[in-house]
């Protein structure tokens, strides 16, 4: 095992026979791990993946003032900004998902997220009036992207974007492509819980991906047995704060400005496209189970929905690949 660290550990490389992995601590404000199964030395490939993630983080972070997304937000209402082709691409995809979900997915949610982040820090919950005042600043119609000129513009000075609901999914797809180009056929990519299971395990069987019980951090709902699939979960248990006995989670309904109350505890989306899975899982969490059914059909993805009355609805095409075993829940195929 080789450990590389500076002032704080930024990544760790491990090698054990054909299983080689990298743990990454300094990208996207989260922990990521990429494991490849290969008989050739994959160290350079894994370092390349880590460099890729760092680069995307530098480009897309809302907290780093030098990022492209910060430039776009800073120049809101002023002028278009020049952006890298991949930033243009993720912005265009975001707009596409906004229109597909009737605005349930909306990266211009940032001004409202700022209010809730502030509430978490100060312990002061915003009034309904404060929320209402900021709601007109939310709207994907304010974002205009020009792929020919490689530029984008926010047309309203109080508007702002953030890519938290899609960036990790997008990066997952790109890591998969980097690995494929490097002749890696089997790998497990985990970017802060956005999973891509590529090929098979060392013994040739599909990967086993546990789905967390949203009510119990030590428990699972079941296990997916998958190959060449992204598995992305959005849930109220993932990021939240408590105030006066109330839970405020991080997935916001752009129509109300409040944490989405759609009767769901979590949504897991399974698709070969991780970008799509990330955007759709956030959208479904906002929309609720019944409202999401048409969207699943339209985008050809499978889903596992956990409702707050402890039901687990899962797509019928998962019947043979989702083994479930939690007696606390009632499992229903749809
Ligand atoms: P996810 O965990 O992929 O569901 O994304 C949640 C993150 O996306 C939040 O932490 C916010 O930064 C951002 N977000 C919250 N609500 C929305 C929304 N309705 N559309 C797009 N991004 C959102
Ligand atoms: Mg998402």
């Amino acid at each position: 095992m080789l450990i590389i660290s500076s002032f704080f550990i930024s990544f760790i490389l491990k090698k054990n026979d054909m299983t080689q992995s990298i743990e990454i601590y300094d990208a996207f404000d989260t922990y990521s791990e990429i494991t490849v199964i290969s008989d050739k030395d994959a160290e350079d490939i894994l370092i390349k993946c880590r460099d890729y993630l760092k680069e995307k983080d530098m480009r897309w972070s809302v907290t780093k003032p030098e990022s492209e997304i910060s430039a776009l937000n800073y120049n809101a209402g002023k002028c278009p900004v020049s952006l890298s082709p991949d930033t243009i691409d993720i912005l265009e995809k975001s707009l596409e998902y906004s229109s597909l979900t009737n605005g349930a997915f909306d990266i211009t949610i940032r001004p409202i997220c700022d209010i809730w982040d502030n509430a978490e820090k100060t312990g002061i919950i915003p009034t309904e009036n404060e929320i209402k005042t900021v709601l007109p600043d939310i709207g994907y119609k304010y974002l205009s992207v020009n792929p020919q000129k490689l530029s984008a513009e926010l047309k309203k000075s109080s508007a702002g974007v953030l890519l938290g609901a899609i960036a990790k999914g997008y990066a997952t797809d790109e890591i998969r492509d980097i690995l494929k180009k490097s002749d890696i056929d089997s790998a497990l990519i985990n970017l802060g819980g956005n999973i891509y299971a590529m090929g098979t395990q060392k013994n040739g069987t599909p990967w086993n991906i546990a789905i967390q019980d949203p009510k119990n951090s030590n428990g699972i709902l079941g296990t997916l047995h998958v190959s060449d699939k992204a598995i992305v979960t959005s849930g109220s248990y993932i990021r939240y704060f408590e105030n006066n006995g109330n839970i405020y989670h991080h997935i916001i309904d752009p129509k109300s400005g409040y944490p989405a109350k759609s009767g769901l505890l979590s949504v897991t989306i399974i698709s070969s496209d991780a970008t799509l899975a990330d955007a759709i899982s956030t959208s479904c969490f906002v929309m609720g189970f019944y409202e999401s059914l048409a969207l699943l059909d339209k985008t050809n993805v499978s889903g596992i929905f956990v409702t707050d009355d402890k039901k687990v609805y899962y797509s019928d095409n998962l019947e043979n690949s989702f083994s479930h075993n939690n007696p606390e829940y009632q499992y229903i195929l749809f």
Side-chain angles (χ1 to χ4, degrees):
M1 180 172 117
L2 169 69
I3 299 183
I4 301 182
S5 65
S6 52
F7 176 62
F8 60 94
I9 292 179
S10 49
F11 65 92
I12 298 177
L13 278 161
K14 289 181 183 167
K15 188 166 184 189
N16 179 4
D17 194 14
M18 281 169 72
T19 306
Q20 304 170 60
S21 64
I22 188 164
E23 296 176 8
I24 301 158
Y25 298 89
D26 59 350
F28 289 114
D29 287 327
T30 188
Y31 164 79
S32 300
E33 182 168 11
I34 302 164
T35 301
V36 304
I37 310 292
S38 173
D39 48 14
K40 68 175 181 190
D41 187 352
E43 186 177 320
D44 288 351
I45 300 165
L46 291 171
I47 298 278
K48 188 171 165 188
C49 292
R50 184 259 182 179
D51 291 347
Y52 166 86
L53 288 181
K54 287 282 293 174
E55 186 188 307
K56 294 297 125 140
D57 193 25
M58 290 299 290
R59 229 168 249 176
W60 295 344
S61 165
V62 269
T63 51
K64 294 188 171 74
E66 67 279 20
S67 78
E68 292 189 5
I69 293 302
S70 292
L72 180 61
N73 288 336
Y74 177 76
N75 288 296
K78 293 181 197 149
C79 59
V81 294
S82 298
L83 300 168
S84 310
D86 56 350
T87 308
I88 294 291
D89 190 40
I90 198 171
L91 291 177
E92 283 197 292
K93 286 204 161 113
S94 298
L95 289 177
E96 200 184 298
Y97 296 132
S98 288
S99 84
L100 195 64
T101 61
N102 273 327
F105 179 89
D106 194 335
I107 58 168
T108 69
I109 197 77
R110 184 181 181 204
I112 289 279
C113 288
D114 283 349
I115 288 195
W116 288 109
D117 283 348
N118 201 40
E120 181 171 7
K121 278 183 211 131
T122 60
I124 302 166
I125 299 303
T127 61
E128 270 181 41
N129 229 1
E130 280 172 275
I131 297 285
K132 268 196 200 138
T133 314
V134 178
L135 271 185
D137 295 338
I138 315 302
Y140 61 97
K141 61 181 180 290
Y142 299 131
L143 174 63
S144 146
V145 184
N146 187 329
Q148 281 78 36
K149 291 191 172 158
L150 285 181
S151 72
E153 180 175 13
L154 278 164
K155 301 274 190 189
K156 194 173 190 206
S157 61
S158 44
V161 298
L162 93 189
L163 298 176
I166 187 169
K168 291 199 286 288
Y170 191 99
T172 302
D173 280 333
E174 299 249 298
I175 295 280
R176 177 203 56 208
D177 294 345
I178 292 173
L179 295 177
K180 277 200 174 144
K181 275 192 201 125
S182 312
D183 290 328
I184 302 286
D185 300 319
S186 290
L188 192 63
I189 304 164
N190 172 7
L191 303 190
N194 282 241
I195 309 279
Y196 191 89
M198 181 176 167
T200 59
Q201 302 185 74
K202 199 161 61 175
N203 63 9
T205 60
W207 293 96
N208 300 318
I209 311 296
I211 307 299
Q212 193 180 319
D213 176 351
K215 286 262 184 211
N216 170 9
S217 56
N218 297 317
I220 66 167
L221 284 177
T223 305
L224 280 164
H225 313 282
V226 282
S227 286
D228 298 320
K229 289 276 184 266
I231 298 123
V232 180
T233 299
S234 291
S236 48
Y237 68 94
I238 296 174
R239 243 193 75 200
Y240 63 90
F241 67 95
E242 233 178 305
N243 183 292
N244 259 332
N246 295 315
I247 299 284
Y248 298 89
H249 65 75
H250 68 138
I251 304 171
I252 309 296
D253 182 345
K255 300 211 163 62
S256 70
Y258 281 84
K261 273 191 199 147
S262 59
L264 293 172
L265 300 175
S266 72
V267 185
T268 299
I269 297 295
I270 300 99
S271 161
S272 50
D273 180 335
T275 315
L276 176 74
D278 197 357
I280 297 300
S281 69
T282 308
S283 313
C284 290
F285 192 90
V286 171
M287 293 160 71
F289 173 57
Y290 290 104
E291 291 286 306
S292 298
L293 290 173
L295 182 62
L296 297 192
D297 268 354
K298 226 190 276 177
T299 51
N300 202 17
V301 301
S302 310
I304 302 173
F305 292 74
V306 187
T307 56
D308 51 16
D309 58 354
K310 293 207 157 183
K311 296 197 170 80
V312 180
Y313 295 93
Y314 63 110
S315 303
D316 55 8
N317 60 5
L318 298 175
E319 187 169 11
N320 297 320
S321 53
F322 181 49
S323 51
H324 49 77
N325 42 15
N326 190 323
E328 293 286 313
Y329 292 89
Q330 186 191 349
Y331 292 83
I332 303 156
L333 276 171
F334 68 87

